[in-house]
Amino acid sequence: MYALTKIKGVGRRYSNLVLKKADIDLTKRAGELSVEEHERIVEIIQNPLQYKIPAWFLNKQRDHTDGSTTQLVANNVDIQLRNDLERLKKIRAHRGIRHYWGLRVRGQHTKTTGRRGRTVGVTKKK
């Protein structure tokens, strides 16, 4: 179970669910898997909706281009994140502008915190 979490985009809960759908023992180690079990795991991770994994469990819901719901794994997670941020910057959304400026995006206070990399403040008198 925990070996699957080393794949980017697969967490503990998702790996647990995938192994239960594949009828594989959760305590089995990754090296003990047969080729057939390995193929079942790969198939379920690639096509989760066909194996009745609910849509709210997946990490990419209602995609902006085609409206599909999928589970992104490996480098597709990074690619999709970069595309989403580029889209926000392109449409000049508030979140996109904050990302562009390198500021906090989710409404945190920024008066005194988050000053790393910037020289702001009062200099000491000698």
Side-chain angles (χ1 to χ4, degrees):
M1 178 178 135
Y2 290 106
L4 285 178
T5 62
K6 295 299 175 189
I7 302 170
K8 190 163 190 160
V10 178
R12 290 191 308 231
R13 293 193 65 207
Y14 189 67
S15 66
N16 191 349
L17 185 63
V18 166
L19 291 179
K20 285 181 181 175
K21 293 285 183 182
D23 294 326
I24 298 172
D25 184 24
L26 297 176
T27 60
K28 198 176 232 189
R29 297 176 67 87
E32 300 169 354
L33 293 174
S34 67
V35 176
E36 178 202 301
E37 290 172 333
H38 182 268
E39 290 172 356
R40 269 191 301 184
I41 291 172
V42 170
E43 178 66 24
I44 292 172
I45 288 176
Q46 288 177 346
N47 305 310
L49 294 175
Q50 293 177 359
Y51 291 91
K52 296 186 176 145
I53 292 177
W56 56 264
F57 216 94
L58 305 180
N59 64 5
K60 183 62 180 173
Q61 300 170 9
R62 295 184 306 279
D63 189 26
H64 289 281
T65 55
D66 56 0
S68 64
T69 299
T70 57
Q71 176 75 14
L72 299 174
V73 291
N75 59 346
N76 291 338
V77 176
D78 296 329
I79 292 168
Q80 189 64 46
L81 177 66
R82 186 171 57 247
N83 290 343
D84 288 344
L85 292 179
E86 287 300 320
R87 182 182 57 81
L88 287 172
K89 290 175 191 174
K90 182 178 165 190
I91 65 174
R92 304 293 289 167
H94 183 260
R95 277 178 55 206
I97 294 170
R98 301 286 289 189
H99 274 293
Y100 179 72
W101 288 337
L103 297 172
R104 301 285 171 95
V105 176
R106 297 187 175 180
Q108 298 96 325
H109 293 277
T110 56
K111 183 176 182 179
T112 58
T113 61
R115 293 183 182 177
R116 59 174 167 55
R118 299 173 194 257
T119 54
V120 176
V122 180
T123 56
K124 250 187 180 177
K125 284 186 181 178
K126 288 190 176 183

